[in-house]
């Protein structure tokens, strides 16, 4: 690999992005450099050239190297990290392995939870004895401290007033929509103080912000490597500290490493004798995840090369984090100025000397000049979406047409050679911007003009 490459346009040449496409939504699906594609294809070729040799001998060693590399980045022992397909799989693996829920148990989650995780919680209620889900409610902008206060207050209300058992809390490191940093450090500490298990959805964690799990000490933690770490899809880490590994007895789907409970002895005769070949020195927890059905796990093997690329070509983790956060903030200011709207952040008096804590990450959010309302709509756009304009030219869309208008705006962006999410929050439409090393401020100046043109067409 070559030495450090300047960020922006020179770095884009090292990625797989179409030269006629501006990839401004890295946060949703990620992407990876050409150098990683070569490593990825080499592993895939090896898996087809000698399938048994690769599956039984080559891949297990490569996965050990991958776990060691990612564990070092997270500052934890490799024996506490396993690899899964994505953060949703990691969250579901934890939820489905916890001891049986009782009717008094409560799972606490938060207003801006990722949609798939909320659906997972509802599905858990349908298939277990769990009867209570409680949401910490809010609308951004909101200070980190207030989110933490509402969480603690809900835990104590459930325990002291409703006589329920707040068993676990699920929360993000960085929220998906809007793209803001969450107070996960403080929430983890409060959960520990209150005797509540912390299950952290860090889908947007590793590769976007520094993480030290040895300091954080979560109960369970999962993070995607394919979003911000430049690893091919799908690849995520599930971190389970030793103190909780006895709870994890099955993968999703249940496979060869399954650990039957003692009461299953009459059904489990011969199960342990018929497992796949494995390193006898590995723990039961590691063996559990070593072979989970026949899938293409070669993305896992690319973790060490992705970390090496970030160090040698990008200049290291701290340089990446600094550039992404600075660019995300500058991009938001530029787009908001062009649109004549505002950036999603705390009020000035709540920011303090360090600035907006919501924006201490690689994503930012800008309001589009579109409000959401009800009442009389005298005008209709060409697509039939009901809207009205005020004297200043700002648009209001009917509540029932929010989804259609968001989709229409995104369609217009694709036609112009880019994509950014458009979503409703707090009575308005917003867009989320993702900074990345292959982008610079000129990309977002261009986006601001495109969005202004599209909004003028509504």
């Amino acid at each position: 690999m070559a030495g450090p490459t300047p960020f922006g346009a020179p770095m884009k040449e090292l990625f797989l992005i179409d030269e006629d496409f501006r990839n401004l939504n890295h946060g949703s699906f990620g992407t990876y450099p050409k150098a990683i594609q070569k490593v990825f294809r080499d592993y895939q070729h090896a898996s087809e050239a000698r399938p048994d040799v690769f599956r039984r001998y080559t891949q297990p060693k490569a996965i050990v190297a991958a776990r060691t590399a990612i564990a070092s980045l997270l500052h934890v022992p490799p024996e506490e990290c396993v690899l899964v397909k994505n953060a949703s799989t990691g969250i579901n693996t934890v939820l489905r392995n916890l001891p049986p829920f009782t009717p008094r148990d409560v799972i606490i989650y938060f207003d801006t939870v990722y949609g798939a995780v909320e659906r997972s919680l509802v599905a858990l209620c349908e298939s277990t004895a769990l009867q209570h889900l409680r949401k910490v409610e809010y609308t951004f902008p909101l200070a980190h401290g207030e989110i933490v206060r509402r969480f603690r207050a809900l835990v104590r209300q459930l325990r002291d007033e409703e006589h329920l058992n707040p068993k676990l809390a699920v929360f993000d490191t960085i929220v998906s929509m809007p793209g803001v940093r969450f107070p996960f450090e403080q929430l983890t500490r409060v959960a520990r103080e209150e005797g509540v298990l912390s299950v952290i959805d860090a889908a947007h964690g590793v590769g976007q912000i520094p993480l030290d799990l040895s300091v954080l000490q979560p109960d369970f933690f999962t993070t995607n490597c394919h979003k911000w770490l430049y690893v091919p899809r799908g690849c995520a880490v599930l971190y389970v500290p030793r103190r909780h590994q006895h709870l994890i007895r099955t993968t999703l789907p249940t496979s060869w490493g399954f650990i039957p409970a003692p009461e299953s002895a009459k059904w489990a005769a011969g199960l342990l004798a018929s497992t796949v070949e494995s390193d006898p020195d590995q723990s039961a927890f590691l063996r559990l995840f070593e072979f989970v059905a026949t899938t293409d796990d070669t993305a896992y093997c690319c973790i060490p090369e992705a970390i090496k690329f970030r160090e040698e070509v990008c200049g290291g983790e701290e340089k990446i984090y600094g550039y992404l956060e600075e660019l995300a903030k500058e991009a938001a200011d530029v787009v908001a100025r062009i649109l004549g709207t505002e950036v999603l952040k705390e009020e000035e008096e709540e920011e303090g000397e360090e600035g907006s804590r919501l924006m201490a990450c690689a994503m930012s959010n800008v309001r589009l000049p579109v409000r959401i309302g009800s009442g009389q709509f005298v005008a209709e756009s060409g697509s039939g979406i009901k809207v009205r304009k005020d004297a200043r030219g700002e648009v209001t869309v009917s509540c029932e047409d929010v989804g259609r208008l968001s989709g229409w705006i995104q369609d217009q962006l694709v036609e112009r050679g880019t994509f950014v999410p458009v979503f409703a929050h707090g009575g308005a439409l917003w867009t989320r911007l993702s900074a990345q090393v292959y982008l610079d401020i000129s990309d977002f100046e261009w986006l601001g003009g495109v969005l202004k043109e599209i909004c003028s067409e509504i």
Side-chain angles (χ1 to χ4, degrees):
M1 294 183 182
T5 298
F7 293 157
M11 186 64 76
K12 184 177 178 181
E13 295 297 317
L14 304 185
F15 280 75
L16 295 159
I17 302 162
D18 189 325
E19 62 180 15
D20 296 324
F21 187 78
R22 296 192 193 228
N23 196 40
L24 305 180
N25 184 35
H26 187 101
S28 283
F29 304 109
T31 191
Y32 51 92
K34 297 172 184 176
I36 306 304
Q37 184 189 52
K38 182 183 183 306
V39 175
F40 189 29
R41 287 180 172 175
D42 286 346
Y43 277 116
Q44 290 178 322
H45 175 75
S47 73
E48 303 308 321
R50 298 186 178 188
D52 278 282
V53 173
F54 183 82
R55 289 278 174 177
R56 298 175 187 273
Y57 300 97
T58 306
Q59 182 170 279
K61 293 177 182 177
I63 287 179
V64 170
R67 289 194 300 100
T68 300
I70 195 65
S72 177
L73 192 60
L74 297 174
H75 303 281
V76 290
E79 294 75 20
E80 297 183 332
C81 294
V82 292
L83 301 175
V84 294
K85 289 299 181 186
N86 47 55
S88 295
T89 301
I91 293 292
N92 275 270
T93 299
V94 172
L95 294 176
R96 292 292 176 176
N97 272 284
L98 292 177
F101 291 95
T102 72
R104 291 184 58 250
D105 289 335
V106 185
I107 293 181
I108 299 173
Y109 66 111
F110 291 75
D111 213 309
T112 47
V113 63
Y114 184 58
V117 171
E118 184 169 27
R119 285 159 175 78
S120 298
L121 297 177
V122 173
L124 202 63
C125 289
E126 293 181 355
S127 58
T128 71
L130 181 67
Q131 296 180 8
H132 302 282
L133 301 176
R134 293 294 290 272
K135 185 185 292 187
V136 179
E137 298 183 341
Y138 50 86
T139 300
F140 287 120
L142 190 71
H144 274 189
E146 179 59 23
I147 296 172
V148 176
R149 282 190 290 273
R150 293 187 189 188
F151 170 59
R152 192 191 289 272
L154 178 56
V155 170
R156 293 184 174 179
Q157 174 188 325
L158 290 168
R159 183 180 292 136
D160 301 338
E161 300 177 21
E162 302 183 36
H163 308 294
L164 295 172
N165 175 39
K167 186 169 185 174
L168 66 96
V170 182
F171 50 89
D172 300 289
T173 50
I174 298 168
V175 175
S176 178
M177 300 283 183
V180 297
R181 183 164 177 150
F182 215 54
F184 65 95
E185 300 97 335
Q186 301 97 307
L187 292 171
T188 303
R189 174 180 51 79
V190 170
R192 186 163 51 247
E193 292 170 355
E194 298 290 341
V196 177
L197 291 172
S198 55
V199 181
I200 302 181
D201 177 6
H204 288 278
V206 71
Q208 181 174 175
I209 58 173
L211 294 167
D212 187 341
L213 302 191
S214 69
V215 174
L216 184 64
Q217 295 186 16
D219 291 304
F220 303 95
F221 183 98
T222 185
T223 183
N224 286 323
C225 299
H226 59 249
K227 280 187 183 289
W228 296 90
L229 199 66
Y230 312 153
V231 175
R233 294 175 290 272
C235 177
V237 181
L238 172 60
Y239 166 75
V240 181
R242 285 187 179 90
R243 67 182 183 275
H244 291 320
Q245 288 181 4
H246 67 283
L247 299 174
I248 309 298
R249 299 190 301 106
T250 182
T251 53
L252 297 180
T254 298
S255 196
W256 291 94
F258 170 65
I259 306 167
E263 58 268 27
S264 299
K266 64 179 179 179
W267 309 108
L271 283 184
L272 297 181
S274 63
T275 56
V276 295
E277 297 173 14
S278 183
D279 183 348
D281 294 329
Q282 284 189 338
S283 67
F285 174 69
L286 294 180
R287 287 197 299 271
L288 177 64
F289 289 88
E290 187 173 73
F291 184 84
V292 183
T294 301
T295 60
D296 183 0
D297 297 336
T298 49
Y300 298 174
C301 305
C302 299
I303 291 174
E305 285 297 325
I307 294 175
K308 182 180 178 182
F309 178 92
R310 294 167 66 85
E311 179 64 33
E312 296 183 358
V313 180
C314 299
E317 296 297 316
E318 294 304 319
K319 183 178 178 183
I320 294 171
Y321 303 146
Y323 182 80
L324 298 189
E325 183 175 336
E326 182 179 352
L327 178 59
K329 291 176 180 177
E330 188 178 358
D333 289 339
V334 164
V335 174
R337 184 170 65 249
I338 292 172
L339 294 178
T341 59
E342 71 268 1
V343 177
L344 181 61
K345 57 184 177 180
E346 299 97 322
E347 296 297 327
E348 233 11 81
E349 60 268 21
E350 294 179 320
E351 290 186 22
E353 294 181 4
E354 297 181 359
S356 170
R357 285 179 287 178
L358 294 177
M359 298 183 70
C361 61
M363 297 190 290
S364 55
N365 310 271
V366 176
R367 185 176 68 82
L368 300 180
V370 180
R371 299 287 185 181
I372 302 167
S374 56
Q376 297 296 315
F377 291 85
V378 296
E380 289 194 8
S381 69
S383 62
I385 299 170
K386 293 184 286 295
V387 300
R388 64 170 178 260
K389 268 187 179 178
D390 61 19
R392 297 170 299 173
E394 188 157 283
V395 170
T396 300
V397 61
S398 65
C399 296
E400 61 268 25
D401 276 343
V402 168
R404 292 177 63 196
L405 181 58
S406 298
W408 179 83
I409 294 172
Q410 291 175 163
D411 290 346
Q412 301 305 305
L413 287 163
V414 170
E415 289 183 7
R416 290 162 171 82
T418 193
F419 185 92
V420 287
V422 175
F423 60 95
H425 186 77
L429 286 187
W430 297 77
T431 187
R432 186 190 73 187
L433 313 178
S434 293
Q436 198 41 261
V437 295
Y438 50 73
L439 300 172
D440 58 37
I441 196 60
S442 67
D443 293 299
F444 295 98
E445 291 170 342
W446 173 85
L447 175 66
V450 167
L451 285 170
K452 184 173 184 179
E453 176 185 326
I454 292 171
C455 290
S456 71
E457 296 175 3
I458 297 174

